[in-house]
Short mmCIF file of all heavy atoms in Angstrom, two decimals:
data_model
loop_
_atom_site.label_atom_id
_atom_site.label_comp_id
_atom_site.label_asym_id
_atom_site.label_seq_id
_atom_site.Cartn_x
_atom_site.Cartn_y
_atom_site.Cartn_z
N SER U 1 -42.96 10.70 2.56
CA SER U 1 -42.41 11.56 1.52
C SER U 1 -43.15 12.87 1.47
O SER U 1 -44.28 12.98 1.99
CB SER U 1 -42.47 10.88 0.15
OG SER U 1 -43.82 10.59 -0.21
N GLY U 2 -42.52 13.87 0.83
CA GLY U 2 -43.22 15.12 0.57
C GLY U 2 -42.78 16.29 1.38
O GLY U 2 -43.19 17.44 1.14
N GLY U 3 -41.87 16.08 2.34
CA GLY U 3 -41.35 17.23 3.11
C GLY U 3 -40.44 18.12 2.23
O GLY U 3 -40.09 17.83 1.16
N GLY U 4 -40.08 19.30 2.84
CA GLY U 4 -39.07 20.07 2.15
C GLY U 4 -39.10 21.52 2.69
O GLY U 4 -39.70 21.78 3.80
N LEU U 5 -38.57 22.43 1.91
CA LEU U 5 -38.51 23.83 2.24
C LEU U 5 -39.59 24.59 1.47
O LEU U 5 -39.63 24.44 0.19
CB LEU U 5 -37.09 24.38 2.01
CG LEU U 5 -36.95 25.89 2.11
CD1 LEU U 5 -37.15 26.37 3.58
CD2 LEU U 5 -35.57 26.33 1.61
N VAL U 6 -40.35 25.36 2.16
CA VAL U 6 -41.37 26.14 1.45
C VAL U 6 -41.49 27.52 2.09
O VAL U 6 -41.18 27.67 3.28
CB VAL U 6 -42.73 25.39 1.55
CG1 VAL U 6 -43.22 25.30 2.95
CG2 VAL U 6 -43.78 26.06 0.64
N GLN U 7 -41.89 28.49 1.33
CA GLN U 7 -42.03 29.86 1.86
C GLN U 7 -43.38 29.96 2.63
O GLN U 7 -44.32 29.22 2.37
CB GLN U 7 -42.01 30.86 0.67
CG GLN U 7 -40.64 31.01 -0.01
CD GLN U 7 -40.66 32.14 -1.02
OE1 GLN U 7 -41.70 32.61 -1.44
NE2 GLN U 7 -39.42 32.56 -1.39
N PRO U 8 -43.45 30.92 3.52
CA PRO U 8 -44.68 31.19 4.29
C PRO U 8 -45.82 31.40 3.27
O PRO U 8 -45.65 32.09 2.28
CB PRO U 8 -44.36 32.40 5.12
CG PRO U 8 -42.91 32.38 5.33
CD PRO U 8 -42.32 31.76 4.08
N GLY U 9 -46.97 30.75 3.56
CA GLY U 9 -48.10 30.86 2.68
C GLY U 9 -48.16 29.79 1.63
O GLY U 9 -49.18 29.62 0.92
N GLY U 10 -47.10 29.02 1.54
CA GLY U 10 -47.06 27.96 0.54
C GLY U 10 -47.77 26.69 0.99
O GLY U 10 -48.32 26.64 2.06
N SER U 11 -47.64 25.67 0.14
CA SER U 11 -48.24 24.41 0.39
C SER U 11 -47.30 23.19 0.20
O SER U 11 -46.38 23.27 -0.57
CB SER U 11 -49.48 24.20 -0.60
OG SER U 11 -50.44 25.15 -0.39
N LEU U 12 -47.59 22.13 0.95
CA LEU U 12 -46.91 20.92 0.78
C LEU U 12 -47.90 19.77 0.99
O LEU U 12 -48.86 19.99 1.69
CB LEU U 12 -45.70 20.72 1.83
CG LEU U 12 -44.45 21.50 1.61
CD1 LEU U 12 -43.52 21.31 2.82
CD2 LEU U 12 -43.70 21.11 0.33
N ARG U 13 -47.60 18.60 0.41
CA ARG U 13 -48.39 17.46 0.63
C ARG U 13 -47.51 16.32 1.07
O ARG U 13 -46.64 15.87 0.35
CB ARG U 13 -49.13 17.07 -0.65
CG ARG U 13 -50.18 15.95 -0.51
CD ARG U 13 -50.67 15.42 -1.78
NE ARG U 13 -51.89 14.62 -1.66
CZ ARG U 13 -52.17 13.62 -2.50
NH1 ARG U 13 -51.39 13.30 -3.50
NH2 ARG U 13 -53.33 12.96 -2.31
N LEU U 14 -47.83 15.80 2.21
CA LEU U 14 -47.04 14.67 2.77
C LEU U 14 -47.87 13.36 2.47
O LEU U 14 -49.02 13.36 2.48
CB LEU U 14 -46.88 14.78 4.30
CG LEU U 14 -46.22 16.09 4.80
CD1 LEU U 14 -46.03 15.99 6.31
CD2 LEU U 14 -44.89 16.34 4.17
N SER U 15 -47.06 12.34 2.22
CA SER U 15 -47.63 10.98 1.99
C SER U 15 -46.98 10.00 2.86
O SER U 15 -45.74 10.17 3.20
CB SER U 15 -47.42 10.58 0.53
OG SER U 15 -48.05 11.44 -0.34
N CYS U 16 -47.61 9.02 3.25
CA CYS U 16 -47.08 7.91 4.10
C CYS U 16 -47.72 6.61 3.66
O CYS U 16 -48.90 6.40 3.83
CB CYS U 16 -47.40 8.18 5.61
SG CYS U 16 -46.85 6.77 6.70
N ALA U 17 -46.85 5.72 3.12
CA ALA U 17 -47.37 4.44 2.64
C ALA U 17 -46.95 3.30 3.61
O ALA U 17 -45.79 3.21 3.96
CB ALA U 17 -46.79 4.15 1.23
N ALA U 18 -47.88 2.50 3.91
CA ALA U 18 -47.64 1.37 4.86
C ALA U 18 -47.52 0.07 4.07
O ALA U 18 -48.30 -0.18 3.13
CB ALA U 18 -48.80 1.27 5.91
N SER U 19 -46.59 -0.72 4.41
CA SER U 19 -46.48 -2.12 3.87
C SER U 19 -46.14 -3.09 4.92
O SER U 19 -45.82 -2.75 6.06
CB SER U 19 -45.36 -2.05 2.79
OG SER U 19 -44.09 -1.79 3.41
N GLY U 20 -46.30 -4.38 4.57
CA GLY U 20 -45.95 -5.46 5.49
C GLY U 20 -47.13 -5.91 6.28
O GLY U 20 -46.87 -6.68 7.31
N THR U 21 -48.34 -5.56 5.91
CA THR U 21 -49.47 -6.00 6.65
C THR U 21 -50.64 -6.30 5.68
O THR U 21 -50.83 -5.60 4.71
CB THR U 21 -49.94 -4.97 7.69
OG1 THR U 21 -51.15 -5.47 8.33
CG2 THR U 21 -50.33 -3.62 7.08
N SER U 22 -51.34 -7.33 6.01
CA SER U 22 -52.52 -7.71 5.24
C SER U 22 -53.79 -7.37 6.01
O SER U 22 -54.88 -7.50 5.59
CB SER U 22 -52.51 -9.20 4.87
OG SER U 22 -52.52 -9.97 6.02
N SER U 23 -53.63 -6.88 7.22
CA SER U 23 -54.71 -6.47 8.07
C SER U 23 -55.16 -5.07 7.72
O SER U 23 -54.41 -4.25 7.24
CB SER U 23 -54.30 -6.55 9.54
OG SER U 23 -53.90 -7.84 9.89
N ARG U 24 -56.44 -4.83 7.99
CA ARG U 24 -56.91 -3.47 7.81
C ARG U 24 -56.34 -2.55 8.85
O ARG U 24 -56.24 -2.85 10.06
CB ARG U 24 -58.47 -3.46 7.90
CG ARG U 24 -59.18 -4.19 6.80
CD ARG U 24 -60.72 -3.98 6.84
NE ARG U 24 -61.06 -2.58 6.61
CZ ARG U 24 -62.26 -2.13 6.64
NH1 ARG U 24 -63.27 -2.96 6.98
NH2 ARG U 24 -62.58 -0.88 6.44
N ILE U 25 -55.97 -1.36 8.35
CA ILE U 25 -55.34 -0.36 9.20
C ILE U 25 -56.41 0.39 9.95
O ILE U 25 -57.44 0.81 9.32
CB ILE U 25 -54.47 0.55 8.38
CG1 ILE U 25 -53.28 -0.25 7.77
CG2 ILE U 25 -53.92 1.70 9.31
CD1 ILE U 25 -52.37 0.58 6.89
N ASN U 26 -56.32 0.60 11.13
CA ASN U 26 -57.26 1.35 11.96
C ASN U 26 -56.97 2.83 11.77
O ASN U 26 -56.94 3.37 10.72
CB ASN U 26 -57.33 0.86 13.40
CG ASN U 26 -57.79 -0.54 13.51
OD1 ASN U 26 -58.76 -0.93 12.90
ND2 ASN U 26 -57.08 -1.32 14.29
#
C-alpha cells in the first residue's frame, strides 16, 4: 500500500505486510 500520484519534490511512504508465515523473515 501507499502508492499514488505525487508532484516532483513530494513524498510517499510504501508499506508491505507479510502474512501466512510463522518463520522469521530474512
